[in-house]
Amino acid sequence: MMMKKNPLKAMGVAIRGLWRNWRVALVLMAAYGSLLATLYLFISTKEATALQVLLTLFFAALAPALFFMLQAMVVGYARGEARALVLLRRSLTDSCRLALASLPLILLALCLAFALNRLQYRSDILLGIITPVWAIQESWFLIAGRRLISPAQVREYSALILATLRFLLFGMALPLLAIHLWSETARDGLLPVFKRAHRAFAPAFHPQVVSIYALGLILFAIIPYFLLFSRPHAWTAGVEIGLFITRLLLVFLFTIFGWTITVSALRRERER
């Protein structure tokens, strides 16, 4: 049964829990740092020699493995495992189950991305979807005989509509589904989750769950974004470099700990 409490309180409990488990925090930082280093090496390695091609393939295979190991560690910690070494050992096996469970979501994400790209390059398709609805609802936009938005302006809002859809799908819906799927898979196994998939994902969109995730989104996405792309003014080159390093460190900490705190708060919310 869902717990009726303030989302801020749920996030606060998760923050205090992670603050006390500094060994788990160090392991999570090490795993996240390894993932970032692997992605950097994959991007920066040139495909000029046979060795570099092999290294590129190696990093391409290692990056997903490290990603799902990290998610297995985050989910394991959210389920109550506070021993760092046990968490690391279990992540080696749990990551395989999480990867297999994620295949339908990955396929769904690819299909949605393809559909949204088609809509972006074919605005007439989006206009064809909106226009029939517009014809029905047209009278709603009349105030004192003056229309607030003309049908010709619908095309101008296609970019805004598509950006909103991308955020709702890839920034909210799919991550919530992934967190719920990973938590259920780590607890019950792969087959039981898929057998009740038709009714297992409804709790992922409970209003309380969405509220907690929205708060977490500020920690692991919005704050890191502004830290990374902000341009603070500095008088000297040394101060500029120092600010840049500080911003990178804060982005690193907010991303990994913000995600861990969010998953932990969501897990505790579902178990109450």
Side-chain angles (χ1 to χ4, degrees), residues 124-200:
D124 57 312
I125 299 177
L126 185 62
L127 187 62
I129 297 173
I130 296 175
T131 302
V133 180
W134 180 270
I136 297 174
Q137 307 293 339
E138 186 177 0
S139 61
W140 292 8
F141 298 94
L142 292 173
I143 295 181
R146 185 176 182 181
R147 188 169 294 156
L148 296 179
I149 304 175
S150 65
Q153 290 178 293
V154 177
R155 191 185 301 272
E156 300 178 7
Y157 292 100
S158 60
L160 177 62
I161 294 172
L162 289 174
T164 304
L165 284 175
R166 284 192 173 95
F167 171 74
L168 292 176
L169 291 173
F170 298 104
M172 297 288 292
L174 288 178
L176 280 170
L177 282 175
I179 293 172
H180 185 77
L181 179 63
W182 292 338
S183 299
E184 296 295 312
T185 302
R187 186 188 65 183
D188 301 329
L190 191 59
L191 291 179
V193 172
F194 281 126
K195 287 181 180 179
R196 61 174 190 269
H198 61 285
R199 55 183 176 85

Side-chain angles (χ1 to χ4, degrees), residues 49-175:
T49 65
L51 178 60
Q52 289 174 328
V53 172
L54 290 176
L55 285 176
T56 301
L57 294 175
F58 172 74
F59 293 136
L62 183 60
L66 288 175
F67 173 80
F68 285 108
M69 281 186 59
L70 177 62
Q71 302 311 318
M73 293 171 61
V74 171
V75 171
Y77 169 73
R79 294 180 59 220
E81 180 55 64
R83 294 169 295 179
L85 294 180
V86 175
L87 196 64
L88 181 60
R89 185 174 66 252
R90 288 182 178 176
S91 68
L92 298 175
T93 56
D94 289 345
S95 60
C96 298
R97 293 193 294 174
L98 298 192
L100 291 175
S102 301
L103 291 178
L105 283 184
I106 294 173
L107 181 60
L108 176 60
L110 292 175
C111 292
L112 290 174
F114 175 78
L116 290 175
N117 288 336
R118 286 295 303 274
L119 289 176
Q120 181 174 353
Y121 292 107
R122 294 286 304 277
S123 58
D124 57 312
I125 299 177
L126 185 62
L127 187 62
I129 297 173
I130 296 175
T131 302
V133 180
W134 180 270
I136 297 174
Q137 307 293 339
E138 186 177 0
S139 61
W140 292 8
F141 298 94
L142 292 173
I143 295 181
R146 185 176 182 181
R147 188 169 294 156
L148 296 179
I149 304 175
S150 65
Q153 290 178 293
V154 177
R155 191 185 301 272
E156 300 178 7
Y157 292 100
S158 60
L160 177 62
I161 294 172
L162 289 174
T164 304
L165 284 175
R166 284 192 173 95
F167 171 74
L168 292 176
L169 291 173
F170 298 104
M172 297 288 292
L174 288 178

Side-chain angles (χ1 to χ4, degrees), residues 207 257 267:
F257 292 148
R267 182 66 187 179

